[in-house]
Each structure stands twice: as C-alpha cells, then as structure tokens.
C-alpha cells in the first residue's frame, strides 16, 4: 500500500530566548526529567509536500536539524532579527554547499536590513572558499509566495518593535508577541491552527503572559492552539492540565498534521 505523507508542522524548538534548562538554573523545570520541559529556542518547520520551509533559523538550528533530520531547507521565513531567531542562519551553508543554490530568506524590510548588518561577513565574504551560506534576501509585506505557496504577513507588536507573524491557509505562527494591533485581527480571521508565544504566568513587557495568550485564543477561537517561546516557569504537564480544550503547550519534536 502506498504511504500517504500528509503535510505537517514540526516544532523544532519551543523555548524562550535562554532555552530551558537555563544555564546555571536548578529549578524544578530546569532539572525536570520530562523531555517536554527541555526546550530549544523557538523555531518550526513547515513540511508541505517535499518542501521544507523553516520558520526562524534559531540559534539552536544545527542541533535541531540533526535531531529531527532536516536534510534540506527550501526557504526561510524570519519573524524578527533577535539573536534567538536568526543566529542559525550560518548553519544553512551546508544546504547550499550541497545544492550549489542559494536559499531564499523572507522577512520585513527592518528584519532584512538587520540581517545584512548582523551577518555582514556573509554578504561581503572576505575570500573565495570561505564557508558562508548563500542567501537570497527578500523583503515581504502583505501576501507573497514561497515555493509557490501563498503566505500572509501578520504585523504584531513585540514590546515597542513591529515584527511579523505569518499565516498560510488556516495556520498562523506568532512567536514573540505582546500585542496584536487592531489592523491585524482581520488577517487572523478563520485561523484554525494557532501557534502563539506564551512566555510565563507573570506579565512581561515584550511577550504575552499565559493569560494574555489565552485571551487571544478566546477571541480567535481556533480549533487548536499551541503555545511556544516558553520559559522555565512553566512545567509542561501541570500547565497543560489547566488549559482549555484544544489548547496546549507545544514541545520540541511535536509534529501536527495540516489539512
Ligand atoms: Zn524570541
Ligand atoms: Zn530554571
Ligand atoms: Zn524577540
């Protein structure tokens, strides 16, 4: 019987910027033996047909690619240029070395400009033969195509920063978010699978707390919600027990089928 491979979203990492465990921390979550409390930095891989679209090349990308056998990447969408979300860009060089083709990287103008500064050596290589990734940078706004698939930017606030979330079909991916602007709510209408940042219980200036994230869920009413960018205040099992139906903390390696 021929096997049917469905499209999916694979959570490569679900932790906040420090990852969990936090270096030098011995709290219950950091010392937990539950693998779901072990969180690499937040990143996800869309698997659509044979296409692999990376959502944020996070600082743990090499580990994630090895752990989850990410043997090729066709395109990269970047939400914003914070270190935890882009410091894996250099690791992409192995793919372009193998295919001798550049990888397209998509982001807002601010994100692309920041990538050019942060990775100056990539765009002005010091010499031939130096190992740098081949990246084709694309500034995006509104709707755009990646590998022939229609994506939509969802502008969100991350503290004072304007950053991007992305939507494909009825899936939305919003990581570092402290506010959804009025104009972005209509762009989220009809979302059935929501990936949303929920840092911790206590409020934070640049990230939704768990309660704030739940308020977004209550308003959007997606079929399924997966929280990411989680810090060491949240024990996976005990928090999941308290969440409403259809809402859970994501964990590294969770793979959800997409319609
Ligand atoms: Zn982050
Ligand atoms: Zn800890
Ligand atoms: Zn951030």
């Amino acid at each position: 019987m021929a096997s049917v491979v469905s499209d999916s979203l694979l959570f490569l990492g679900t932790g906040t910027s420090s990852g969990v465990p936090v270096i030098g921390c011995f709290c219950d979550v950091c010392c937990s033996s539950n693998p779901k409390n072990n969180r690499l930095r937040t990143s996800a891989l869309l698997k659509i047909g044979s296409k692999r679209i990376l959502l944020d090349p996070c600082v743990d990308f090499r580990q994630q690619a090895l752990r989850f056998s990410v043997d090729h990447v066709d395109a990269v969408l970047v939400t914003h240029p914070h270190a935890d979300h882009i410091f894996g860009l250099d690791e992409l060089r192995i793919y372009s070395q193998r295919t001798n083709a550049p990888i397209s990287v998509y982001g807002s103008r601010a994100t692309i400009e920041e990538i050019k500064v942060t990775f100056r050596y990539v765009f002005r290589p010091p010499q031939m033969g130096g190992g740098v990734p081949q990246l084709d940078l694309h500034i995006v706004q509104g709707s755009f195509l990646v590998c022939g698939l229609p994506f939509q930017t969802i502008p969100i606030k991350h503290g004072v920063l304007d950053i991007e979330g992305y939507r494909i079909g009825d899936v939305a991916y919003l990581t570092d978010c402290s506010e959804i602007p009025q104009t972005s709510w209509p762009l989220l209408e009809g979302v059935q699978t929501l990936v949303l940042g929920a840092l911790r219980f206590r409020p934070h200036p640049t990230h939704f707390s768990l309660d704030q994230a739940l308020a977004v869920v209550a308003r959007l009413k997606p079929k399924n919600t997966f929280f990411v960018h989680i810090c060491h205040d949240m024990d996976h099992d005990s928090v999941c027990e308290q969440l409403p139906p259809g809402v859970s903390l994501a964990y590294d390696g969770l793979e959800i089928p997409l319609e």
Side-chain angles (χ1 to χ4, degrees), residues 185 194 196 212-222 225 227 244 246-247:
W185 284 99
L194 175 65
L196 183 62
Q212 289 170 321
L214 284 168
V216 173
V217 174
R219 177 162 170 184
L220 275 182
K221 299 182 178 62
T225 301
F227 290 144
V247 183

Side-chain angles (χ1 to χ4, degrees), residues 196-241:
L196 183 62
L199 182 71
R200 62 185 191 190
F201 303 106
R202 289 172 293 138
H204 186 278
T206 64
H207 294 275
F208 280 143
S209 65
L210 187 62
D211 282 346
Q212 289 170 321
L214 284 168
V216 173
V217 174
R219 177 162 170 184
L220 275 182
K221 299 182 178 62
K223 210 185 284 174
N224 294 297
T225 301
F226 301 92
F227 290 144
V228 295
H229 218 283
I230 306 159
C231 90
H232 62 157
D233 292 355
M234 301 221 273
D235 170 65
H236 184 275
D237 290 350
S238 51
V239 172
C240 281
E241 272 171 27

Side-chain angles (χ1 to χ4, degrees), residues 20-22 25-31 232:
V20 182
V22 178
C25 184
F26 302 98
C27 75
D28 287 351
V29 173
C30 287
C31 295
H232 62 157

Side-chain angles (χ1 to χ4, degrees), residues 133-193:
Q134 295 177 49
L135 307 176
D136 253 353
L137 302 178
H138 301 270
I139 294 170
V140 290
Q141 197 184 14
S143 46
F144 57 102
L145 293 176
V146 175
C147 301
L149 300 160
F151 281 82
Q152 164 79 46
T153 57
I154 311 285
I156 54 176
K157 299 296 285 187
H158 178 21
V160 296
L161 296 179
D162 294 302
I163 72 159
E164 305 307 315
Y166 293 105
R167 176 175 181 167
I168 176 170
D170 61 8
V171 181
Y173 185 83
L174 315 175
T175 57
D176 298 32
C177 186
S178 53
E179 186 192 338
I180 298 175
Q182 280 313 319
T183 46
S184 289
W185 284 99
L187 303 174
L188 292 165
E189 231 165 72
V191 162
Q192 293 302 334
T193 300

Side-chain angles (χ1 to χ4, degrees), residues 77-81 86 105-118 123 137-142 144 153 155 161-166:
L77 271 63
V78 182
T79 59
H80 68 299
I86 64 166
V105 177
Y106 302 82
S108 70
R109 178 173 298 279
T111 292
I112 296 296
E113 292 306 324
E114 190 75 16
I115 286 174
K116 284 186 196 163
V117 174
T118 307
F123 304 100
L137 302 178
H138 301 270
I139 294 170
V140 290
Q141 197 184 14
F144 57 102
T153 57
L161 296 179
D162 294 302
I163 72 159
E164 305 307 315
Y166 293 105

